[in-house]
Amino acid sequence: MKTAARLTLSHFVGGQMIEGRGDRFGDIYNPATGEVTKQVPLATTEEVRSAVAVAAEAFPNWSQTPPARRAQVLFRYRELLIEHMGELAEIVSSEHGKTLEDAQGSITRGLEVVEFACGISQLLKGEFTEGVSNGVDCWSVRQPLGVCAGITPFNFPAMVPMWMFPIALACGNTFVLKPSERDPSCSLRMAELLVEAGLPAGVLNVVNGDKEAVDALLFDPQVQAVSFVGSTTVGEYIYRTGCDHGKRVQALCGAKNHMVVMPDADLDQAIDAVMGAAYGSAGERCMAVSVMVAVGDEVADALIERLCPRLEALKVGPYTQSDAEMGPVVNPAAKARICGYIDRGVEEGAELVIDGRDISIRGFENGCFVGATVFDHVTPSMSIYTDEIFGPVLCVVRVNSYDSALQLVNDHEYGNGAAIFTRDGDAARNFSHRVRIGMVGINVPIPVPMAFHSFGGWKRSLFGDHYVHGPEGVRFYTRMKTITSRWPSGIRSGAVYNFKAGAER
Ligand code: NAD
């Protein structure tokens, strides 16, 4: 059989695309057909070091560029992102598999971070106290760190990089992005557009690669801070290794998000919510609902009864099919892993109500499709409950009280998102106060904060002290300096040998 020529991607360093010099390549699939369509060069340590050196060289000028002028680049970038929205969404869908509408939605969420970054000057102003002592003033400023690095996952190839570099750049840093090797093309195109918007060469660089490239970033002394988004095992490694090498690290990791449905909830609203939250983007979202906790058997039975016809009607297909509601998963390995979990759920004794393993889409028989799947009577000891499956698989856990539901959520090792569906304000308030979770929804299934708030989880869903974007993002990408000065210089206080309080000086 004749194979179509495969496109080989580049890196983007110093304002231009450059060919990889190593001899290792990764495969990029068209998830809808299951075929390898592109090759991505996997950067060597040397190539990463060169990209970091380019970013370090660009830092003095960029950090000295007035914040308002940096913002002007981002304003122009915003316009270009809107102009190229269709093109970028197509790139995302063709490598990730998600529907075009979903891809556009994710780019819009990234665009909102760019919009937030346009106004960052406001947050860089610092604090000032006049006259802390006789002729003495004190002020604090936030300064950029230097070269920052971003390591991003496959599931949001546009949005997650945009959680990072717009904020880092607006604060005056330079950046090296290492996108997922499974769908890196969007990052390359976004970097090109940023240069078109007026970003000086070398301020944002994209190196493609795998563990070797990541380690090169973690070990490079010129890299000051690392933002990571991805799985918990890798995130914990990156956090520990980055910290050991003296870097500031934030690592946003895996999740198992619960949606608690109370007996008084509007069940139709809850079902609408879970359809999008569990099966949108084929469940490949860190904020996907993967566990529905039904409080009482009556609620569980009513939810399953409503859910089944909706799942049977769900339109699964490639992104090129305009009415598709759910696309394939990212590659054959992801499909095999998800189906393996469904096998295990059956072996462990959960009731497989709808099985998505054998789905076949006409014309796309070799595609990486997994149909919408739901398990009932799942218990906390089963691996389909403990592990993040990252596919279109929903587990229904039955509990008999609100307290047991809360306990269940709090006992899980992950703490990214959780939602409660109820009409009872007391229950909602109690839940939002007591739940050990970073982002909480009340009748909102995917409580992703807006760009001017910050995003992050608790427990093993985040390592580090800072969430991404919003004010927390600005804190992460800057450090504080506090200056105390005496003017006029002629005022003399004599030599002081003890530590007097300000008021006594
Ligand atoms: P992943 O951990 O496999 O990969 C993430 C990044 O780490 C990629 O750039 C990859 O090249 C790199 N990487 C992979 N293995 C590595 C290793 N051994 N050493 C060093 N670097 C390595 O994650 P993924 O499969 O691309 O993405 C899915 C995961 O991301 C899920 O767990 C999901 O929950 C998580 N995620 C979390 C958030 C969040 O905000 N908490 C958001 C999106 C995705």
Side-chain angles (χ1 to χ4, degrees), residues 279-334:
Y279 303 106
S281 205
E284 291 173 322
R285 289 181 182 145
C286 66
M287 288 293 276
V289 166
S290 48
V291 181
M292 187 156 67
V293 186
V295 180
D297 280 330
E298 248 177 66
V299 175
D301 293 341
L303 286 171
I304 295 279
E305 193 188 317
R306 284 169 168 80
L307 188 58
C308 289
R310 296 289 294 271
L311 293 186
E312 274 148 16
L314 185 72
K315 293 196 184 80
V316 182
Y319 80 92
T320 44
Q321 183 185 313
S322 59
D323 64 346
E325 293 165 320
M326 186 175 94
V329 298
V330 69
N331 61 20

Side-chain angles (χ1 to χ4, degrees), residues 152-155 178 181-182 211 229-231 253 286 388 455:
T152 54
F154 80 86
N155 66 320
K178 206 300 287 167
E181 63 275 41
R182 286 181 249 176
K211 182 171 166 48
V229 176
S231 60
C253 298
C286 66
E388 182 184 41
F455 180 111

Side-chain angles (χ1 to χ4, degrees), residues 37 160 249 300 358 360 432 497:
T37 51
V160 170
V249 186
D358 294 329
S360 177
S432 63
Y497 299 103

Side-chain angles (χ1 to χ4, degrees), residues 267-503:
L267 297 189
D268 293 317
Q269 184 197 33
I271 289 296
D272 280 344
V274 84
M275 283 300 295
Y279 303 106
S281 205
E284 291 173 322
R285 289 181 182 145
C286 66
M287 288 293 276
V289 166
S290 48
V291 181
M292 187 156 67
V293 186
V295 180
D297 280 330
E298 248 177 66
V299 175
D301 293 341
L303 286 171
I304 295 279
E305 193 188 317
R306 284 169 168 80
L307 188 58
C308 289
R310 296 289 294 271
L311 293 186
E312 274 148 16
L314 185 72
K315 293 196 184 80
V316 182
Y319 80 92
T320 44
Q321 183 185 313
S322 59
D323 64 346
E325 293 165 320
M326 186 175 94
V329 298
V330 69
N331 61 20
K335 176 174 171 158
R337 194 180 44 77
I338 295 161
C339 290
Y341 269 110
I342 302 176
D343 296 345
R344 228 168 303 152
V346 174
E347 284 157 27
E348 288 170 338
E351 183 188 327
L352 183 55
V353 182
I354 294 195
D355 180 359
R357 283 174 295 187
D358 294 329
I359 193 169
S360 177
I361 308 293
R362 197 190 300 181
F364 296 88
E365 287 78 7
N366 294 324
C368 310
F369 292 94
V370 181
T373 299
V374 61
F375 277 108
D376 194 3
H377 296 284
V378 174
T379 62
S381 62
M382 296 177 180
S383 64
I384 52 170
Y385 176 77
T386 53
D387 299 2
E388 182 184 41
I389 300 175
F390 221 55
V393 181
L394 179 70
C395 296
V396 177
V397 179
R398 296 170 176 236
V399 296
N400 49 26
S401 68
Y402 163 74
D403 283 334
S404 319
L406 179 66
Q407 189 71 43
L408 187 77
V409 182
N410 283 348
D411 285 349
H412 204 284
E413 68 168 321
Y414 294 124
N416 220 34
I420 185 166
F421 276 68
T422 182
R423 290 180 170 112
D424 178 347
D426 278 351
R429 185 171 185 277
N430 188 287
F431 186 78
S432 63
H433 183 64
R434 290 172 60 201
V435 75
R436 295 183 55 225
I437 295 287
M439 292 168 285
V440 181
I442 296 167
N443 298 318
V444 171
I446 306 190
V448 172
M450 292 295 288
F452 41 88
H453 287 266
S454 300
F455 180 111
W458 284 17
K459 298 186 271 182
R460 288 175 62 77
S461 291
L462 188 146
F463 299 91
D465 302 318
H466 291 95
Y467 282 18
V468 287
H469 64 63
E472 285 269 292
V474 176
R475 277 177 216 124
F476 182 76
Y477 290 121
T478 55
R479 63 180 133 231
M480 184 174 270
K481 181 181 279 180
T482 307
I483 300 114
T484 304
S485 78
R486 187 192 301 280
W487 293 106
S489 52
I491 297 179
R492 295 192 58 187
S493 55
V496 177
Y497 299 103
N498 55 4
F499 226 46
K500 285 185 177 175

